Amino acid sequence: MEYLNKLKVKKAVIPVAGLGTRFLPATKAQPKEMLPLVDKPVIQYIVEEAVKAGIEQIIFITGRHKRAIEDHFDRNLELERALEEKGKRELLKTVKEISDLADFIFIRQKEPKGLGHAVLTAEPAVGNEPFAVLLGDDVMVGEKPAIGELIEVFKKFSCPVLGLQEVPKEEVSNYGIAGGKLVEENLIKVESLVEKPSPSEAPSNYAIAGRYVLTPDIFTVLKRTKPGKGGEIQLTDAIAQLSKERAVYGRIIEGKRYDTGNKLGFLEATIDFALMRNDLREPFLKFLKEKLKEELRDG
Ligand code: G1P
């Protein structure tokens, strides 16, 4: 694995095959990843984070009914022509830039066998290189791209790195939880990993926040990983196994995480993202203040 420290993390795997049942009926005919935060689909924020951290190639692990994602990252010549003719130059630039963000590869996950299986499906495109994994439900906002924080740690140790964030004890059963020793500020050496434990089984309250830098030896482990929680092949189980064979680190990510995979998290993200927009902040804040006053008055 010595060769790894000479390699840059250039590839990112983004699993997008999930059915999005938590957002039905909105996701009956469109992928959940295409739901917008203000006017940009969630998946584009994830891709932009990866690109900001130096990723050049995005490997989407996709499924049936996900064609809209392919179309979004492709050119749309008809639309471009129409915008050109109408002189809408800003919009034309916005639309064109999306397809230039990175090289995009799409691989179908033929059966919903879990996150571990989705990552294994990327093996032919990843090959023998370190790679990033970003989960589409976790939108991160911070000064630096969250996955970039993990890549920094990878550069130093040439080891797999997980993105972690503290969660309240009562929420540990929603996440993969990592236990270990703090070795530097915001960095732990992982000693145990459990997928969705009960609060009493959890080794800590450091949750895996949907960001990973992995080394290609994870594929060998994934091939022999048996179905775990929910009958699915769990990435957490495979990394737990790998951590017995080599060092695995957990980086406590500095930014704010929005879980856009659940309705409340999605609404919180929508409000915060609207407030971050210069064109919307003022009128939206005015609306929110009035709304809050009204709600408080009516009890
Ligand atoms: C997945 C992972 C879990 C991780 C979580 C982060 O779970 O299996 O370890 O903590 O993403 O969002 P999911 O939310 O897909 O059930």
Side-chain angles (χ1 to χ4, degrees):
M1 286 286 152
E2 264 310 295
Y3 72 97
L4 279 176
N5 54 21
K6 294 186 200 75
L7 292 178
K8 265 184 67 189
V9 183
K10 287 181 298 194
K11 299 182 179 180
V13 174
I14 308 185
V16 292
L19 289 176
T21 41
R22 284 189 285 181
F23 274 93
L24 281 169
T27 50
K28 185 181 172 205
Q30 70 168 334
K32 66 170 175 173
E33 294 79 7
M34 290 302 294
L35 296 175
L37 292 174
V38 187
D39 52 11
K40 196 193 278 186
V42 165
I43 191 68
Q44 193 179 330
Y45 291 97
I46 310 282
V47 168
E48 286 174 353
E49 176 194 323
V51 170
K52 257 188 230 148
I55 298 292
E56 294 166 12
Q57 191 178 78
I58 305 280
I59 302 155
F60 286 111
I61 306 303
T62 160
R64 273 183 294 280
H65 315 302
K66 298 285 177 160
R67 282 287 300 278
I69 299 177
E70 293 181 43
D71 291 342
H72 187 72
F73 291 100
D74 193 1
R75 299 276 302 267
N76 182 338
L77 298 177
E78 201 184 330
L79 176 64
E80 285 175 25
R81 213 174 309 122
L83 292 172
E84 181 112 57
E85 277 165 17
K86 291 197 174 104
K88 296 192 185 292
R89 306 213 64 83
E90 264 310 297
L91 271 181
L92 179 64
K93 190 165 159 271
T94 306
V95 162
K96 266 176 142 173
E97 275 170 359
I98 302 170
S99 54
D100 290 332
L101 280 168
D103 289 332
F104 298 103
I105 294 181
F106 296 86
I107 304 180
R108 287 271 189 120
Q109 184 185 13
K110 298 190 192 88
E111 292 170 84
K113 290 208 230 162
L115 178 59
H117 180 257
V119 170
L120 182 56
T121 307
E123 186 183 16
V126 170
N128 205 17
E129 294 186 31
F131 62 103
V133 176
L134 296 92
L135 304 188
D137 286 342
D138 296 294
V139 176
M140 308 288 309
V141 179
E143 261 178 52
K144 289 182 256 169
I147 195 68
E149 293 185 38
L150 274 62
I151 292 174
E152 286 303 314
V153 178
F154 175 79
K155 278 188 193 153
K156 198 161 157 191
F157 298 103
S158 308
C159 288
V161 191
L162 314 178
L164 302 176
Q165 278 203 328
E166 267 188 272
V167 296
K169 202 75 184 167
E170 59 279 11
E171 287 176 25
V172 290
S173 59
N174 296 328
Y175 299 97
I177 302 291
K181 266 199 218 79
L182 206 60
V183 287
E184 280 178 25
E185 199 191 351
N186 290 333
L187 188 71
I188 71 165
K189 181 135 185 266
V190 174
E191 285 169 356
S192 58
L193 269 178
V194 196
E195 178 67 7
K196 305 199 170 85
S198 65
S200 62
E201 290 165 324
S204 75
N205 52 352
Y206 286 123
I208 304 176
R211 298 291 182 275
Y212 312 76
V213 172
L214 297 173
T215 46
D217 47 356
I218 192 69
F219 295 127
T220 318
V221 183
L222 278 168
K223 280 175 200 156
R224 39 169 221 258
T225 302
K226 299 265 172 340
K229 274 265 148 69
E232 297 188 337
I233 298 172
Q234 296 292 348
L235 183 59
T236 305
D237 293 348
I239 302 170
Q241 181 56 40
L242 192 64
S243 72
K244 292 182 188 150
E245 299 164 20
R246 59 175 303 163
V248 171
Y249 288 90
R251 173 77 159 87
I252 299 150
I253 301 176
E254 278 168 22
K256 182 165 168 52
R257 184 176 68 92
Y258 296 91
D259 180 4
T260 61
N262 84 56
K263 285 172 202 157
L264 197 61
F266 190 87
L267 289 171
E268 287 168 8
T270 300
I271 291 181
D272 277 2
F273 278 67
L275 290 175
M276 278 185 253
R277 287 268 298 254
N278 290 337
D279 56 336
L280 293 171
R281 186 178 164 81
E282 230 173 274
F284 190 47
L285 206 53
K286 187 164 169 258
F287 165 78
L288 288 176
K289 279 183 191 157
E290 274 159 24
K291 185 83 201 154
L292 199 61
K293 234 191 275 167
E294 205 178 288
E295 290 289 325
L296 291 173
R297 194 180 51 227
D298 299 347

PDB file of all heavy atoms in Angstrom, residues 22 115 135 137-138 174-177 194-196 207-212 232 234-236 257 259, ligand 1:
ATOM      1  N   ARG A  22     -38.944   8.082   1.593  1.00  0.00           N
ATOM      2  CA  ARG A  22     -39.308   9.064   2.620  1.00  0.00           C
ATOM      3  C   ARG A  22     -39.887  10.339   2.009  1.00  0.00           C
ATOM      4  O   ARG A  22     -40.425  11.178   2.713  1.00  0.00           O
ATOM      5  CB  ARG A  22     -38.091   9.397   3.492  1.00  0.00           C
ATOM      6  CG  ARG A  22     -37.809   8.277   4.486  1.00  0.00           C
ATOM      7  CD  ARG A  22     -36.760   8.671   5.484  1.00  0.00           C
ATOM      8  NE  ARG A  22     -35.433   8.651   4.900  1.00  0.00           N
ATOM      9  CZ  ARG A  22     -34.324   8.939   5.565  1.00  0.00           C
ATOM     10  NH1 ARG A  22     -34.394   9.304   6.838  1.00  0.00           N
ATOM     11  NH2 ARG A  22     -33.154   8.884   4.991  1.00  0.00           N
ATOM     12  N   LEU A 115     -25.481  -0.043   0.861  1.00  0.00           N
ATOM     13  CA  LEU A 115     -24.410   0.915   0.545  1.00  0.00           C
ATOM     14  C   LEU A 115     -23.087   0.215   0.220  1.00  0.00           C
ATOM     15  O   LEU A 115     -22.368   0.617  -0.699  1.00  0.00           O
ATOM     16  CB  LEU A 115     -24.248   1.879   1.732  1.00  0.00           C
ATOM     17  CG  LEU A 115     -23.155   2.922   1.631  1.00  0.00           C
ATOM     18  CD1 LEU A 115     -23.360   3.829   0.413  1.00  0.00           C
ATOM     19  CD2 LEU A 115     -23.105   3.763   2.906  1.00  0.00           C
ATOM     20  N   LEU A 135     -22.243  10.675   0.299  1.00  0.00           N
ATOM     21  CA  LEU A 135     -23.641  10.248   0.281  1.00  0.00           C
ATOM     22  C   LEU A 135     -24.541  11.454   0.006  1.00  0.00           C
ATOM     23  O   LEU A 135     -24.376  12.525   0.605  1.00  0.00           O
ATOM     24  CB  LEU A 135     -24.027   9.580   1.601  1.00  0.00           C
ATOM     25  CG  LEU A 135     -23.156   8.385   2.015  1.00  0.00           C
ATOM     26  CD1 LEU A 135     -23.755   7.685   3.227  1.00  0.00           C
ATOM     27  CD2 LEU A 135     -22.973   7.396   0.869  1.00  0.00           C
ATOM     28  N   ASP A 137     -27.561  12.324   0.665  1.00  0.00           N
ATOM     29  CA  ASP A 137     -28.496  12.933   1.622  1.00  0.00           C
ATOM     30  C   ASP A 137     -27.819  13.946   2.532  1.00  0.00           C
ATOM     31  O   ASP A 137     -28.481  14.791   3.123  1.00  0.00           O
ATOM     32  CB  ASP A 137     -29.120  11.857   2.536  1.00  0.00           C
ATOM     33  CG  ASP A 137     -30.155  11.026   1.804  1.00  0.00           C
ATOM     34  OD1 ASP A 137     -30.623  11.478   0.753  1.00  0.00           O
ATOM     35  OD2 ASP A 137     -30.494   9.936   2.293  1.00  0.00           O
ATOM     36  N   ASP A 138     -26.515  13.820   2.701  1.00  0.00           N
ATOM     37  CA  ASP A 138     -25.807  14.691   3.642  1.00  0.00           C
ATOM     38  C   ASP A 138     -25.210  15.883   2.907  1.00  0.00           C
ATOM     39  O   ASP A 138     -24.203  15.756   2.218  1.00  0.00           O
ATOM     40  CB  ASP A 138     -24.678  13.915   4.346  1.00  0.00           C
ATOM     41  CG  ASP A 138     -25.213  12.784   5.199  1.00  0.00           C
ATOM     42  OD1 ASP A 138     -25.891  13.066   6.186  1.00  0.00           O
ATOM     43  OD2 ASP A 138     -24.958  11.617   4.855  1.00  0.00           O
ATOM     44  N   ASN A 174     -29.463   6.036  14.109  1.00  0.00           N
ATOM     45  CA  ASN A 174     -29.677   6.409  12.696  1.00  0.00           C
ATOM     46  C   ASN A 174     -28.392   6.358  11.885  1.00  0.00           C
ATOM     47  O   ASN A 174     -28.413   6.604  10.682  1.00  0.00           O
ATOM     48  CB  ASN A 174     -30.206   7.854  12.589  1.00  0.00           C
ATOM     49  CG  ASN A 174     -31.551   8.018  13.228  1.00  0.00           C
ATOM     50  OD1 ASN A 174     -32.349   7.087  13.236  1.00  0.00           O
ATOM     51  ND2 ASN A 174     -31.802   9.189  13.786  1.00  0.00           N
ATOM     52  N   TYR A 175     -27.266   6.076  12.546  1.00  0.00           N
ATOM     53  CA  TYR A 175     -25.961   6.260  11.887  1.00  0.00           C
ATOM     54  C   TYR A 175     -25.007   5.095  12.116  1.00  0.00           C
ATOM     55  O   TYR A 175     -25.214   4.281  13.023  1.00  0.00           O
ATOM     56  CB  TYR A 175     -25.269   7.512  12.461  1.00  0.00           C
ATOM     57  CG  TYR A 175     -26.037   8.784  12.253  1.00  0.00           C
ATOM     58  CD1 TYR A 175     -26.855   9.294  13.263  1.00  0.00           C
ATOM     59  CD2 TYR A 175     -25.954   9.472  11.047  1.00  0.00           C
ATOM     60  CE1 TYR A 175     -27.570  10.475  13.070  1.00  0.00           C
ATOM     61  CE2 TYR A 175     -26.657  10.643  10.849  1.00  0.00           C
ATOM     62  CZ  TYR A 175     -27.461  11.146  11.861  1.00  0.00           C
ATOM     63  OH  TYR A 175     -28.162  12.303  11.663  1.00  0.00           O
ATOM     64  N   GLY A 176     -23.925   5.107  11.325  1.00  0.00           N
ATOM     65  CA  GLY A 176     -22.773   4.289  11.673  1.00  0.00           C
ATOM     66  C   GLY A 176     -22.018   5.068  12.746  1.00  0.00           C
ATOM     67  O   GLY A 176     -21.829   6.273  12.614  1.00  0.00           O
ATOM     68  N   ILE A 177     -21.628   4.392  13.833  1.00  0.00           N
ATOM     69  CA  ILE A 177     -20.981   5.096  14.954  1.00  0.00           C
ATOM     70  C   ILE A 177     -19.553   4.576  15.132  1.00  0.00           C
ATOM     71  O   ILE A 177     -19.328   3.359  15.120  1.00  0.00           O
ATOM     72  CB  ILE A 177     -21.797   4.909  16.257  1.00  0.00           C
ATOM     73  CG1 ILE A 177     -23.234   5.418  16.087  1.00  0.00           C
ATOM     74  CG2 ILE A 177     -21.104   5.579  17.455  1.00  0.00           C
ATOM     75  CD1 ILE A 177     -23.386   6.935  15.937  1.00  0.00           C
ATOM     76  N   VAL A 194     -19.833   0.572  14.521  1.00  0.00           N
ATOM     77  CA  VAL A 194     -21.079  -0.203  14.555  1.00  0.00           C
ATOM     78  C   VAL A 194     -22.129   0.530  13.720  1.00  0.00           C
ATOM     79  O   VAL A 194     -22.319   1.737  13.858  1.00  0.00           O
ATOM     80  CB  VAL A 194     -21.643  -0.345  15.995  1.00  0.00           C
ATOM     81  CG1 VAL A 194     -22.682  -1.466  16.054  1.00  0.00           C
ATOM     82  CG2 VAL A 194     -20.542  -0.579  17.005  1.00  0.00           C
ATOM     83  N   GLU A 195     -22.793  -0.214  12.851  1.00  0.00           N
ATOM     84  CA  GLU A 195     -23.847   0.391  12.037  1.00  0.00           C
ATOM     85  C   GLU A 195     -25.149   0.446  12.840  1.00  0.00           C
ATOM     86  O   GLU A 195     -25.632  -0.557  13.336  1.00  0.00           O
ATOM     87  CB  GLU A 195     -24.032  -0.420  10.742  1.00  0.00           C
ATOM     88  CG  GLU A 195     -25.132   0.080   9.809  1.00  0.00           C
ATOM     89  CD  GLU A 195     -24.860   1.459   9.179  1.00  0.00           C
ATOM     90  OE1 GLU A 195     -23.763   2.008   9.347  1.00  0.00           O
ATOM     91  OE2 GLU A 195     -25.790   1.987   8.540  1.00  0.00           O
ATOM     92  N   LYS A 196     -25.675   1.639  12.983  1.00  0.00           N
ATOM     93  CA  LYS A 196     -26.964   1.901  13.638  1.00  0.00           C
ATOM     94  C   LYS A 196     -27.153   1.145  14.962  1.00  0.00           C
ATOM     95  O   LYS A 196     -28.060   0.329  15.102  1.00  0.00           O
ATOM     96  CB  LYS A 196     -28.104   1.599  12.668  1.00  0.00           C
ATOM     97  CG  LYS A 196     -27.957   2.372  11.355  1.00  0.00           C
ATOM     98  CD  LYS A 196     -29.222   2.484  10.562  1.00  0.00           C
ATOM     99  CE  LYS A 196     -29.069   3.459   9.423  1.00  0.00           C
ATOM    100  NZ  LYS A 196     -28.494   2.953   8.204  1.00  0.00           N
ATOM    101  N   ALA A 207     -20.879  10.107  14.774  1.00  0.00           N
ATOM    102  CA  ALA A 207     -21.607   9.454  13.675  1.00  0.00           C
ATOM    103  C   ALA A 207     -20.881   9.659  12.352  1.00  0.00           C
ATOM    104  O   ALA A 207     -20.307  10.731  12.106  1.00  0.00           O
ATOM    105  CB  ALA A 207     -23.000  10.052  13.573  1.00  0.00           C
ATOM    106  N   ILE A 208     -20.926   8.641  11.496  1.00  0.00           N
ATOM    107  CA  ILE A 208     -20.378   8.779  10.142  1.00  0.00           C
ATOM    108  C   ILE A 208     -21.309   9.718   9.373  1.00  0.00           C
ATOM    109  O   ILE A 208     -22.500   9.465   9.252  1.00  0.00           O
ATOM    110  CB  ILE A 208     -20.289   7.423   9.419  1.00  0.00           C
ATOM    111  CG1 ILE A 208     -19.472   6.411  10.238  1.00  0.00           C
ATOM    112  CG2 ILE A 208     -19.691   7.610   8.021  1.00  0.00           C
ATOM    113  CD1 ILE A 208     -19.418   5.020   9.620  1.00  0.00           C
ATOM    114  N   ALA A 209     -20.716  10.812   8.890  1.00  0.00           N
ATOM    115  CA  ALA A 209     -21.531  11.874   8.300  1.00  0.00           C
ATOM    116  C   ALA A 209     -21.553  11.834   6.769  1.00  0.00           C
ATOM    117  O   ALA A 209     -21.501  12.867   6.105  1.00  0.00           O
ATOM    118  CB  ALA A 209     -21.011  13.229   8.789  1.00  0.00           C
ATOM    119  N   GLY A 210     -21.597  10.638   6.217  1.00  0.00           N
ATOM    120  CA  GLY A 210     -21.767  10.511   4.769  1.00  0.00           C
ATOM    121  C   GLY A 210     -20.577  10.931   3.919  1.00  0.00           C
ATOM    122  O   GLY A 210     -20.729  11.249   2.741  1.00  0.00           O
ATOM    123  N   ARG A 211     -19.372  10.924   4.503  1.00  0.00           N
ATOM    124  CA  ARG A 211     -18.158  11.246   3.749  1.00  0.00           C
ATOM    125  C   ARG A 211     -17.064  10.250   4.116  1.00  0.00           C
ATOM    126  O   ARG A 211     -16.826   9.992   5.303  1.00  0.00           O
ATOM    127  CB  ARG A 211     -17.641  12.666   4.091  1.00  0.00           C
ATOM    128  CG  ARG A 211     -18.596  13.798   3.758  1.00  0.00           C
ATOM    129  CD  ARG A 211     -18.754  13.976   2.245  1.00  0.00           C
ATOM    130  NE  ARG A 211     -19.624  15.084   1.914  1.00  0.00           N
ATOM    131  CZ  ARG A 211     -20.959  15.010   1.844  1.00  0.00           C
ATOM    132  NH1 ARG A 211     -21.583  13.874   2.079  1.00  0.00           N
ATOM    133  NH2 ARG A 211     -21.672  16.069   1.510  1.00  0.00           N
ATOM    134  N   TYR A 212     -16.378   9.745   3.093  1.00  0.00           N
ATOM    135  CA  TYR A 212     -15.327   8.741   3.295  1.00  0.00           C
ATOM    136  C   TYR A 212     -14.209   8.972   2.281  1.00  0.00           C
ATOM    137  O   TYR A 212     -14.486   9.379   1.150  1.00  0.00           O
ATOM    138  CB  TYR A 212     -15.849   7.327   3.001  1.00  0.00           C
ATOM    139  CG  TYR A 212     -17.165   6.941   3.633  1.00  0.00           C
ATOM    140  CD1 TYR A 212     -18.373   7.415   3.133  1.00  0.00           C
ATOM    141  CD2 TYR A 212     -17.211   6.055   4.708  1.00  0.00           C
ATOM    142  CE1 TYR A 212     -19.594   7.035   3.698  1.00  0.00           C
ATOM    143  CE2 TYR A 212     -18.420   5.665   5.271  1.00  0.00           C
ATOM    144  CZ  TYR A 212     -19.612   6.162   4.765  1.00  0.00           C
ATOM    145  OH  TYR A 212     -20.814   5.780   5.313  1.00  0.00           O
ATOM    146  N   GLU A 232     -28.802  -5.759   4.533  1.00  0.00           N
ATOM    147  CA  GLU A 232     -28.038  -5.135   3.455  1.00  0.00           C
ATOM    148  C   GLU A 232     -26.526  -5.268   3.691  1.00  0.00           C
ATOM    149  O   GLU A 232     -26.085  -5.378   4.845  1.00  0.00           O
ATOM    150  CB  GLU A 232     -28.381  -3.640   3.380  1.00  0.00           C
ATOM    151  CG  GLU A 232     -29.836  -3.403   3.034  1.00  0.00           C
ATOM    152  CD  GLU A 232     -30.141  -1.945   2.771  1.00  0.00           C
ATOM    153  OE1 GLU A 232     -29.380  -1.082   3.264  1.00  0.00           O
ATOM    154  OE2 GLU A 232     -31.127  -1.673   2.072  1.00  0.00           O
ATOM    155  N   GLN A 234     -23.387  -3.754   4.395  1.00  0.00           N
ATOM    156  CA  GLN A 234     -23.118  -2.447   4.995  1.00  0.00           C
ATOM    157  C   GLN A 234     -21.659  -2.038   4.795  1.00  0.00           C
ATOM    158  O   GLN A 234     -20.746  -2.800   5.108  1.00  0.00           O
ATOM    159  CB  GLN A 234     -23.434  -2.489   6.504  1.00  0.00           C
ATOM    160  CG  GLN A 234     -24.902  -2.740   6.823  1.00  0.00           C
ATOM    161  CD  GLN A 234     -25.807  -1.592   6.417  1.00  0.00           C
ATOM    162  OE1 GLN A 234     -25.346  -0.492   6.084  1.00  0.00           O
ATOM    163  NE2 GLN A 234     -27.110  -1.839   6.437  1.00  0.00           N
ATOM    164  N   LEU A 235     -21.470  -0.814   4.321  1.00  0.00           N
ATOM    165  CA  LEU A 235     -20.121  -0.277   4.168  1.00  0.00           C
ATOM    166  C   LEU A 235     -19.436  -0.188   5.537  1.00  0.00           C
ATOM    167  O   LEU A 235     -18.247  -0.478   5.679  1.00  0.00           O
ATOM    168  CB  LEU A 235     -20.189   1.117   3.505  1.00  0.00           C
ATOM    169  CG  LEU A 235     -18.858   1.798   3.214  1.00  0.00           C
ATOM    170  CD1 LEU A 235     -17.993   0.948   2.283  1.00  0.00           C
ATOM    171  CD2 LEU A 235     -19.081   3.184   2.601  1.00  0.00           C
ATOM    172  N   THR A 236     -20.214   0.191   6.553  1.00  0.00           N
ATOM    173  CA  THR A 236     -19.655   0.305   7.918  1.00  0.00           C
ATOM    174  C   THR A 236     -19.048  -1.028   8.369  1.00  0.00           C
ATOM    175  O   THR A 236     -17.956  -1.039   8.958  1.00  0.00           O
ATOM    176  CB  THR A 236     -20.769   0.732   8.903  1.00  0.00           C
ATOM    177  OG1 THR A 236     -21.355   1.938   8.415  1.00  0.00           O
ATOM    178  CG2 THR A 236     -20.238   0.941  10.305  1.00  0.00           C
ATOM    179  N   ARG A 257     -23.917  20.073   8.923  1.00  0.00           N
ATOM    180  CA  ARG A 257     -24.493  19.014   8.096  1.00  0.00           C
ATOM    181  C   ARG A 257     -26.011  19.131   8.064  1.00  0.00           C
ATOM    182  O   ARG A 257     -26.639  19.347   9.106  1.00  0.00           O
ATOM    183  CB  ARG A 257     -24.117  17.641   8.666  1.00  0.00           C
ATOM    184  CG  ARG A 257     -24.587  16.479   7.812  1.00  0.00           C
ATOM    185  CD  ARG A 257     -24.096  15.168   8.396  1.00  0.00           C
ATOM    186  NE  ARG A 257     -24.752  14.890   9.659  1.00  0.00           N
ATOM    187  CZ  ARG A 257     -25.868  14.173   9.773  1.00  0.00           C
ATOM    188  NH1 ARG A 257     -26.423  13.630   8.716  1.00  0.00           N
ATOM    189  NH2 ARG A 257     -26.412  13.975  10.950  1.00  0.00           N
ATOM    190  N   ASP A 259     -29.273  16.882   6.994  1.00  0.00           N
ATOM    191  CA  ASP A 259     -29.746  15.578   6.532  1.00  0.00           C
ATOM    192  C   ASP A 259     -30.959  15.806   5.646  1.00  0.00           C
ATOM    193  O   ASP A 259     -32.101  15.821   6.106  1.00  0.00           O
ATOM    194  CB  ASP A 259     -30.099  14.687   7.726  1.00  0.00           C
ATOM    195  CG  ASP A 259     -30.599  13.321   7.269  1.00  0.00           C
ATOM    196  OD1 ASP A 259     -30.581  13.061   6.043  1.00  0.00           O
ATOM    197  OD2 ASP A 259     -31.016  12.524   8.128  1.00  0.00           O
TER     198      ASP A 259
HETATM  199  C1  G1P B   1     -25.706   5.546   5.775  1.00  0.00           C
HETATM  200  C2  G1P B   1     -24.587   4.730   6.449  1.00  0.00           C
HETATM  201  C3  G1P B   1     -24.369   5.217   7.890  1.00  0.00           C
HETATM  202  C4  G1P B   1     -24.092   6.705   7.893  1.00  0.00           C
HETATM  203  C5  G1P B   1     -25.243   7.454   7.188  1.00  0.00           C
HETATM  204  C6  G1P B   1     -24.924   8.935   7.057  1.00  0.00           C
HETATM  205  O1  G1P B   1     -26.934   5.219   6.379  1.00  0.00           O
HETATM  206  O2  G1P B   1     -24.922   3.349   6.413  1.00  0.00           O
HETATM  207  O3  G1P B   1     -23.285   4.512   8.464  1.00  0.00           O
HETATM  208  O4  G1P B   1     -23.927   7.173   9.208  1.00  0.00           O
HETATM  209  O5  G1P B   1     -25.470   6.935   5.872  1.00  0.00           O
HETATM  210  O6  G1P B   1     -25.979   9.630   6.476  1.00  0.00           O
HETATM  211  P1  G1P B   1     -28.359   5.598   5.716  1.00  0.00           P
HETATM  212  O7  G1P B   1     -28.648   7.011   6.127  1.00  0.00           O
HETATM  213  O8  G1P B   1     -28.203   5.460   4.232  1.00  0.00           O
HETATM  214  O9  G1P B   1     -29.336   4.629   6.296  1.00  0.00           O
END
